[in-house]
Amino acid sequence: MTADENLVQRLEARARQIRVDVLKMIHAANSGHPGGSLSAADIVTTLYFHELRIDPLNPKWPDRDRFILSKGHACPVWYACLAERGFFPVETLATLRRIDGILQGHPDMKKTPGLDMTTGSLGQGLSCGVGMALGGKLAKKDFRVYVLLGDGELDEGQVWEAAMAAAKYKLDNLVAIVDYNRLQVDGFVDQVMPLDPLSAKWKAFNWHVLEINGHDIAQILRALSEARATANWPTCIIAHTVKGKGVSFMENKAEWHGMAPDDAQLEQALAELGVK
Amino acid sequence: MERIPTREACARTLVELGRENPDVVVFEADIAKSTKTLYFAKEFPDRFFEMGIAEQNMLGAAAGMATTGKLPFVSTYAVFASMRACEQIRTFICYPNLNVKIVASHGGLTPGNDGPTHQAIEDLAIMRSIPNMTVLMPADAVATRSLVRSAAQMHGPVYVRLTRDPVPVIYPEDTVFSIGKAVEFRPGSDVTLIAIGDMVAWAAEAAEELAKEGISARVLDMHTLKPLDKEAVVKAAQETGALVTVEDHNIYGGLGSAVAEVVAEECLVPLKRVGIPDTFAESGEYELLLEKYGLGIKDIKRAAEAALSKKVS
């Protein structure tokens, strides 16, 4: 096995564990958003276990890379990665959405160690990323900023305001990743508000655009590496994904956007993920 | 008396702050000539971010920038800051309590002839209702300089409401103002006129008129709408026994409402509110609009007399 194959296998195993954590925490809270957490699991895992320059012991390290989950409802996957990465104990995940807990229903940077931005109202994370990336350039720091967007939130005009600003300021330290699972709350993106041709839209806004399979870790790694090597322009990685990925009965089902599995469903989901 | 728009005073203060603190940056939405942030842009082109006509993105970007340790001042008209980008301010700046200062020009009816699309008569109510937000409106150029400097020194979101039109300079140069501490602009014992922004000078004129009739009116400059100086309100109620609020804002939700809350809970005395009577105004010259919509000197005077007549002695 080559070193690259080894890395991919390790990340795949990590992503499986992250999916297990996501399902268990949403089950424990009896509410939350499994669909979009699972579609983003391979991307967020690759970021947190390979790409990001971060220090779990020093979450506010000024030189750290930043990650913004613009689709804030998918925070279970963010919390799981932060916990597995050592920002706080994994046991904390069982307190998702509990009063007095540190894991709010949508991300709160004041409560959870490792969160770089509060999010939850859609279409706004990329603007914050623009500000962070500009701040980095201004301070002559080399940290990078990654923003994960849902496809549904691209309906918001503010996303395109941010896209224009990022290109104007040549923010090559900024990467937008679109979790293109083609489902939003009311149904398929194509029916709610069509986005295609999505790649052409970002290109028209002067972004460097890549399209990948968002569940193929080798492709995710290559795309992130290409983004890092791209000078002068921000990069958008359009990641084709499956909502609910990894759990057969959740895949491609809009109703699993914001619903918790019951005991039997959790058992079945964990079995599918290889947990006895 | 010299007259300077507070937007002008603010823009000059931003340049001073820029010289003193390399972390100060300014965001603008295509109206730098009007808000005067072009002064900052000329001196610090690398720290000036022209974001185009896109206020929502601008406020979000300022939030992101604040997390990197910079001190963003975001400039646009009050109507666009408080409403077009309201949720961005609420959820991405106030909720995480980020260090972003919003300098909102063209407050109240001061956009005058531009009409209601550009007049901000709801902004104080909106900003006052958001947790963590500090809300300021300086009365003149001297107060603007001092309060903007204080805003830069405190941590957290601040909304500074400014005027388009020139307003008289009523304070001696270098007067220092403290956020949250009202200023007794004119002493008086029969009634207190509590005013905000350029209405302080306006209320002072009304107090002059009242003096001619033998009524001693105190004028309180409530430059900080939030946190409101409750002690000053209670003191004015106890010492003068009748209150009038004066603001260039809808009668609902602004200074009058804030003072009424204190009065109802702490010190029941007669209170009359002078403000825009829950209506959209129209295009016209600023001072004529004030007259038409019930904010004239005679309206303030009449409100003071009404409050006095209800006084329980």
Side-chain angles (χ1 to χ4, degrees):
Chain A
M1 198 188 296
T2 67
D4 284 355
E5 285 165 351
N6 191 355
L7 171 64
V8 168
Q9 278 201 358
R10 274 197 294 118
L11 289 171
E12 282 171 350
R14 281 288 186 188
R16 201 158 32 245
Q17 180 59 48
I18 294 301
R19 286 188 160 89
V20 168
D21 290 345
V22 162
L23 293 164
K24 283 184 174 170
M25 67 198 292
I26 295 174
H27 174 262
N30 198 27
S31 77
H33 296 81
S37 294
L38 295 176
S39 68
D42 299 300
I43 298 162
V44 183
T45 301
T46 304
L47 286 168
Y48 271 88
F49 290 88
H50 181 73
E51 181 72 9
L52 296 179
R53 183 174 76 190
I54 45 177
D55 178 3
L57 297 177
N58 186 8
K60 295 199 185 302
W61 179 32
D63 291 336
R64 73 191 182 279
D65 287 340
R66 269 70 168 176
F67 175 71
I68 300 171
L69 184 70
S70 189
K71 43 175 269 178
H73 55 269
C75 56
V77 73
W78 200 2
Y79 296 156
C81 284
L82 288 169
E84 295 284 356
R85 194 72 173 70
F87 282 85
F88 50 84
V90 174
E91 299 75 58
T92 312
L93 296 177
T95 66
L96 174 71
R97 295 182 165 227
R98 294 251 181 87
I99 201 161
D100 294 331
I102 64 163
L103 304 178
Q104 295 288 293
H106 288 79
D108 177 350
M109 63 190 280
K110 291 283 180 204
K111 290 204 163 68
T112 314
L115 292 193
D116 294 317
M117 182 51 72
T118 293
T119 55
S121 171
L122 294 173
Q124 310 201 26
L126 191 57
S127 298
C128 302
V130 165
M132 285 182 192
L134 277 173
K137 294 250 178 203
L138 200 53
K140 301 205 167 22
K141 287 181 178 287
D142 65 350
F143 66 73
R144 297 177 59 74
V145 182
Y146 297 83
V147 183
L148 183 70
L149 298 124
D151 45 8
E153 69 173 326
L154 302 186
D155 296 351
E156 292 280 5
Q158 189 184 339
V159 174
W160 305 101
E161 294 180 3
M164 268 192 278
K168 173 187 173 180
Y169 286 103
K170 301 196 184 312
L171 298 178
D172 51 15
N173 52 350
L174 176 67
V175 180
I177 306 168
V178 178
D179 182 10
Y180 202 7
N181 61 35
R182 294 189 177 267
L183 272 172
Q184 54 194 112
V185 177
D186 276 353
F188 287 99
V189 165
D190 284 350
Q191 283 150 18
V192 177
M193 187 51 67
L195 284 173
D196 285 334
L198 186 57
S199 170
K201 283 193 173 73
W202 288 95
K203 279 181 186 149
F205 280 79
N206 285 326
W207 283 58
H208 178 60
V209 185
L210 303 168
E211 282 203 65
I212 62 165
N213 173 346
H215 299 306
D216 182 331
I217 301 238
Q219 286 192 36
I220 300 170
L221 287 167
R222 272 201 299 277
L224 291 171
S225 162
E226 185 174 328
R228 232 180 301 120
T230 302
N232 280 324
W233 302 107
T235 295
C236 175
I237 301 170
I238 297 174
H240 292 274
T241 58
V242 173
K243 195 148 180 165
K245 175 72 176 178
V247 179
S248 60
F249 59 91
M250 290 185 180
E251 288 189 359
N252 284 313
K253 296 278 196 312
E255 54 268 35
W256 282 103
H257 172 81
M259 191 166 68
D262 63 24
D263 293 349
Q265 286 164 333
L266 178 68
E267 200 180 330
Q268 188 191 333
L270 295 184
E272 287 184 17
L273 290 166
V275 179
K276 297 198 179 68
Chain B
M1 205 180 292
E2 194 188 3
R3 297 172 78 95
I4 303 173
T6 54
R7 63 179 155 139
E8 168 85 25
C10 174
R12 296 203 179 280
T13 308
L14 293 182
V15 174
E16 286 178 21
L17 288 170
R19 288 179 191 143
E20 295 161 18
N21 181 355
D23 285 333
V24 169
V25 301
V26 171
F27 284 85
E28 179 57 77
D30 197 39
I31 42 177
K33 291 190 190 80
S34 178
T35 62
K36 307 292 180 188
T37 58
L38 62 92
Y39 302 153
F40 190 94
K42 280 191 183 142
E43 189 159 338
F44 309 103
D46 296 344
R47 284 147 61 188
F48 177 81
F49 300 99
E50 173 57 78
M51 303 303 275
I53 308 167
E55 293 81 7
Q56 302 177 29
N57 177 56
M58 175 169 72
L59 269 305
M65 176 86 79
T67 69
T68 69
K70 298 292 169 191
L71 175 51
F73 280 79
V74 185
S75 165
T76 182
Y77 292 166
V79 70
F80 305 134
S82 65
M83 282 173 278
R84 178 66 74 101
C86 180
E87 196 212 356
Q88 286 71 15
I89 293 173
R90 180 253 186 197
T91 304
F92 291 79
I93 293 173
C94 290
Y95 174 33
N97 201 24
L98 292 173
N99 203 19
V100 176
K101 318 300 172 188
I102 299 153
V103 286
S105 176
H106 291 50
L109 296 174
T110 65
N113 46 28
D114 279 335
T117 54
H118 286 58
Q119 294 161 356
I121 63 167
E122 309 86 354
D123 60 328
L124 294 178
I126 294 166
M127 290 298 141
R128 188 166 85 84
S129 69
I130 305 177
N132 290 339
M133 182 60 99
T134 293
V135 183
L136 309 175
M137 186 171 186
D140 74 352
V142 174
T144 301
R145 182 171 184 271
S146 175
L147 286 167
V148 170
R149 295 183 76 86
S150 300
Q153 269 163 18
M154 65 166 275
H155 179 89
V158 180
Y159 180 83
V160 187
R161 192 197 210 217
L162 305 163
T163 60
R164 182 192 76 168
D165 284 35
V167 298
V169 179
I170 57 174
Y171 286 104
E173 211 182 316
D174 295 329
T175 309
V176 176
F177 296 76
S178 305
I179 291 175
K181 194 104 189 68
V183 173
E184 189 179 300
F185 181 72
R186 177 192 166 110
S189 52
D190 297 330
V191 59
T192 302
L193 311 178
I194 306 176
I196 187 167
D198 52 330
M199 291 298 102
V200 174
W202 213 235
E205 282 195 43
E208 278 295 320
E209 296 292 318
L210 288 163
K212 288 176 192 160
E213 293 171 14
I215 297 168
S216 166
R218 178 182 299 185
V219 176
L220 204 56
D221 175 357
M222 195 60 80
H223 51 73
T224 304
L225 178 62
K226 184 186 174 187
L228 190 79
D229 187 347
K230 291 183 187 176
E231 275 179 35
V233 173
V234 171
K235 184 166 178 274
Q238 287 168 346
E239 292 176 2
T240 67
L243 305 176
V244 174
T245 57
V246 190
E247 63 193 310
D248 176 5
H249 186 271
N250 194 345
I251 199 72
Y252 294 133
L255 175 68
S257 298
V259 169
E261 289 160 14
V262 176
V263 170
E265 287 188 344
E266 310 287 343
C267 50
L268 267 183
V269 294
L271 165 70
K272 289 286 171 190
R273 296 172 299 151
V274 173
I276 301 158
D278 194 30
T279 184
F280 290 105
E282 63 191 302
S283 292
E285 198 186 311
Y286 179 51
E287 291 199 1
L288 295 179
L289 288 174
L290 293 179
E291 299 277 352
K292 172 159 181 179
Y293 292 96
L295 286 126
I297 305 286
K298 65 175 188 321
D299 300 300
I300 301 171
K301 232 180 112 215
R302 202 176 302 136
E305 287 158 356
L308 265 171
S309 73
K310 293 194 167 182
K311 202 160 147 177
V312 186
S313 51

